Amino acid sequence: HTIIHSSVAGNRFLCNLLLEFYGKRRGSLADAVSIFRLIRHKNVYTWNIFLALLVQHNEYMYALQQFQQMILEGIYSDKFTYSTVIDACETLSEGVFMHTRIINALSDSHVVVATGLINMYSKHGLLSEAKVAFERVNTPDTILWSVIIDAFAKHGFEKISVQLFMRMQREQQHLSSDSVTLISVLGACATFSALTLGRILHSFIVDGSCETDLSVGNALLNMYAKCGALSKAQKLHDDLHIRSVVSWNALIAGYMQQGKDQESFECFE
């Protein structure tokens, strides 16, 4: 650290790179903190790197304390700063306070900020607030759509998650659904046996060349099995290049659910 201090402590660009290196590649938070303290002229990028590292290491309280220090030093917080400190808010009161601060200082309509807000409200089961945060964004990207769809699906609102997915297809035709979105919606279809919609999703997956993704393939298999389309589930299972325990369990559970004990036992052989 003496070498670092004497040679590059005044070079903010190099120090920022070192901060990323020590914090991410080597995984040593103590080294990253030492580097951060040596940097003479910190900018918002320096602070953003450091705050993100603290959150990655679950140092949430320390991250919020450092955010306050950043403000005291007169550094302007940008959308990336706020998206990080939102993740550091462990309690609902901290999250709501930070949301208010964002509205007053910046805007909560930025995609990265809204993503953090949706995750925060969803963590506390406040899906109506999460939906409001989503609606304030004029042009949601694939990640934001995935986050809001997954939030409703995980809290048992499968129909709403499917409705959001269909809305995404109507309003944002230039966006391609990622595997996270597809898995969430397929899981929702499986829950309330929406076979027709599941088949439509299957066509989206084939068109988007996502069928080779094992997680997506397993989600499709699970959907068909739970909807009682066992011949389709069996064909998907047979066509999988790699079959995991999840693949086998989904098929076996599908046969057992339909009372086909002989077929389920054959899967073990």
Side-chain angles (χ1 to χ4, degrees), residues 159-269:
K159 289 188 178 181
I160 296 178
S161 69
V162 171
Q163 289 168 0
L164 284 167
F165 177 80
M166 299 309 292
R167 175 182 157 191
M168 173 186 173
Q169 300 305 315
R170 291 194 309 271
E171 297 180 4
Q172 309 286 339
Q173 295 181 11
H174 63 287
L175 294 179
S176 58
S177 304
D178 62 7
S179 60
V180 175
T181 311
L182 293 169
I183 291 168
S184 295
V185 181
L186 284 168
C189 291
T191 299
F192 61 91
S193 301
L195 180 57
T196 301
L197 181 56
R199 284 173 173 154
I200 294 173
L201 288 172
H202 193 173
S203 67
F204 280 127
I205 291 167
V206 172
D207 291 342
S209 301
C210 294
E211 200 172 18
T212 55
D213 185 302
L214 179 59
S215 297
V216 174
N218 286 337
L220 265 175
L221 171 56
N222 181 61
M223 183 275 296
Y224 279 117
K226 286 190 174 179
C227 289
L230 296 177
S231 60
K232 186 65 177 177
Q234 182 67 63
K235 185 178 186 309
L236 273 172
H237 184 270
D238 294 341
D239 290 343
L240 286 175
H241 297 295
I242 301 173
R243 300 184 188 95
S244 66
V245 174
V246 175
S247 314
W248 285 103
N249 285 347
L251 185 62
I252 292 168
Y255 278 125
M256 294 182 69
Q257 181 181 313
Q258 298 298 318
K260 297 183 178 295
D261 296 337
Q262 181 60 38
E263 288 84 348
S264 66
F265 286 132
E266 288 175 0
C267 290
F268 287 100
E269 297 177 355

Side-chain angles (χ1 to χ4, degrees), residues 51-223:
L51 292 172
L53 291 175
L54 293 178
V55 171
Q56 288 167 17
H57 285 81
N58 301 323
E59 295 288 344
Y60 302 125
M61 183 63 69
Y62 189 31
L64 293 177
Q65 291 170 351
Q66 289 301 301
F67 173 66
Q68 294 297 328
Q69 183 62 36
M70 175 184 178
I71 294 171
L72 290 175
E73 294 187 15
I75 305 297
Y76 174 78
S77 303
D78 62 13
K79 58 186 179 181
F80 299 107
T81 315
Y82 283 112
S83 69
T84 299
V85 294
I86 290 167
D87 291 340
C89 295
E90 295 187 90
T91 67
L92 178 59
S93 59
E94 288 174 343
V96 172
F97 175 78
M98 194 60 65
H99 190 179
T100 303
R101 188 165 204 156
I102 291 168
I103 293 173
N104 293 333
L106 186 67
S107 170
D108 61 354
S109 62
H110 292 288
V111 170
V112 292
V113 175
T115 301
L117 288 171
I118 292 170
N119 282 326
M120 184 270 292
Y121 282 122
S122 174
K123 180 173 66 176
H124 295 288
L126 299 176
L127 295 182
S128 58
E129 285 80 358
K131 184 71 158 42
V132 169
F134 173 78
E135 297 295 352
R136 288 180 63 83
V137 179
N138 293 324
T139 54
D141 61 6
T142 301
I143 294 174
L144 193 63
W145 278 105
S146 297
V147 169
I148 191 66
I149 289 169
D150 189 54
F152 277 97
K154 283 183 176 177
H155 282 83
F157 296 95
E158 291 86 2
K159 289 188 178 181
I160 296 178
S161 69
V162 171
Q163 289 168 0
L164 284 167
F165 177 80
M166 299 309 292
R167 175 182 157 191
M168 173 186 173
Q169 300 305 315
R170 291 194 309 271
E171 297 180 4
Q172 309 286 339
Q173 295 181 11
H174 63 287
L175 294 179
S176 58
S177 304
D178 62 7
S179 60
V180 175
T181 311
L182 293 169
I183 291 168
S184 295
V185 181
L186 284 168
C189 291
T191 299
F192 61 91
S193 301
L195 180 57
T196 301
L197 181 56
R199 284 173 173 154
I200 294 173
L201 288 172
H202 193 173
S203 67
F204 280 127
I205 291 167
V206 172
D207 291 342
S209 301
C210 294
E211 200 172 18
T212 55
D213 185 302
L214 179 59
S215 297
V216 174
N218 286 337
L220 265 175
L221 171 56
N222 181 61
M223 183 275 296

Side-chain angles (χ1 to χ4, degrees), residues 20-36:
E20 285 188 303
F21 173 78
Y22 275 90
K24 293 182 180 179
R25 295 195 177 184
R26 288 182 53 178
S28 173
L29 182 60
D31 286 336
V33 171
S34 297
I35 295 294
F36 179 76

